[in-house]
Amino acid sequence: MSPGLDVTAAIPLRANISSEACFQGQTHGHEGFLLDFVEAKQVSKDERAARVLHPYLTGDDFLEGGEPTRYVIDLNEAKDVLAARGFGSAFQHVEETVMPAMQAAAEKEQRVSKRTTGPRQSHAKKWWKHWRGRGELLRAISQIPRYIACARVTKRPIFVFVDSAIRPNDALTAFPLADDYSFGILQSGIHFEWFKARCSALKGDFRYTSDTVFDTFPWPQKPGRAQIKAVAEAGVALRTLRRETMRKLNYSLRDLYRTLEQPGDNPLRDTHAWLDVAVRATYGMPANTDPLTFLLQLNLTCAKKEKARERSRHLACRCDPKTGQALLQATAFSRMCCHKHR
């Protein structure tokens, strides 16, 4: 291992950035958007309101019980206040509990800044919406039956599949990926090493961020079908072990992973090791190779190839690869070829 290896030279990869496979969860912005089960049952008696009520998974729910303990009112698709009013009692609840606080925050911001513009004042004009609704994330997970999530701030990232009907809170990082292979790569120790080296920290814990961690993480480039199957099977085995052990011992995910801090034989540690062997094989990474050194080199290689492909596209559409300015009058074809002209 090379704990002192500097991986700040890693380059964000266009393939990762454009994949739309990593998002921070929703930031509701006010507790008035949240309902306990009793409140949600009452509000959902209105059929119009029931359409915008969703189970809401927080970081604590995720690590302690694994199931949502509250619902969220999501009116983010309403473009104006009249459209929002169409959701009946859900709108009324937000109007009573959220709107006054949003207006007060906007007024305070104006008094302090002496300006009539600012983030709180802008948000007050759309007070029925969340602070960060994450429309791109919701559209992505609506196309699949489940997605992968992990706590955004954690000592060790624990990845779990979540039903797409459940909205992730901003304490979670969500990955709109439904397959067992992707789960295996993300849950592997290889990805964990990259996460630790590239993430920011909050009060001694690591924080998973898309721009520093996910966007720079080089995935296996040419895995074979047998290798993909091996990773998927190891991922399924890991989740099966976790589920059965937690049921038997009445443990949460947090309880279970704390056992890795203790010495002695541990089936969880063994199953993670099995997964890591499978993931190394997809990379063609020898057992004695330092994963950070390998991943950094792969990142730089991928970035170099992306740059070469981008240059080829620029040349094909007759534009300057440095400035993106057209050298010849752009045709419909050239605009389609060159992202600078889109």
Side-chain angles (χ1 to χ4, degrees), residues 60-223:
D60 286 339
D61 292 339
F62 179 87
L63 292 172
E64 289 298 333
E67 297 292 336
T69 58
R70 289 184 291 182
Y71 278 73
V72 65
I73 297 174
D74 188 340
L75 301 171
N76 291 295
E77 293 302 312
K79 295 182 179 180
D80 54 50
V81 70
L82 295 182
R85 284 184 176 277
F87 294 104
S89 60
F91 173 84
Q92 293 170 11
H93 181 87
V94 173
E95 183 180 33
E96 294 171 2
T97 61
V98 177
M99 185 180 70
M102 295 297 183
Q103 291 178 325
E107 292 168 0
K108 180 179 179 180
E109 181 183 70
Q110 184 175 356
R111 288 197 304 271
V112 172
S113 67
K114 309 299 183 184
R115 299 176 61 183
T116 58
T117 59
R120 297 297 173 184
Q121 294 170 77
S122 296
H123 191 210
K125 296 176 182 178
K126 302 286 186 181
W127 53 266
W128 61 91
K129 294 176 177 275
H130 295 174
W131 180 253
R132 294 289 183 268
R134 309 299 181 193
E136 301 91 343
L137 165 63
L138 299 185
R139 284 190 289 275
I141 65 176
S142 69
Q143 304 300 314
I144 53 179
R146 62 183 185 178
Y147 61 93
I148 302 170
C150 74
R152 201 159 58 89
V153 179
T154 181
K155 291 182 178 179
R156 178 186 181 115
I158 304 170
F159 295 85
V160 172
F161 276 118
V162 177
D163 189 287
S164 290
I166 297 173
R167 297 291 171 83
N169 172 263
D170 65 354
L172 298 176
T173 299
F175 306 83
L177 301 166
D179 61 290
D180 294 316
Y181 169 75
S182 295
F183 169 86
I185 298 295
L186 291 173
Q187 186 61 87
S188 70
I190 286 81
H191 181 240
F192 182 32
E193 291 300 323
W194 189 256
F195 164 60
K196 288 190 296 182
R198 288 286 305 175
C199 72
S200 60
L202 181 65
K203 297 180 180 179
D205 287 342
F206 304 124
R207 175 164 26 192
Y208 199 107
T209 51
S210 59
D211 54 347
T212 59
V213 181
F214 184 84
D215 289 352
T216 61
F217 178 68
W219 287 64
Q221 298 301 295
K222 295 181 179 180

Side-chain angles (χ1 to χ4, degrees), residues 31 33 199 253:
E31 290 291 311
F33 287 110
C199 72
L253 272 173

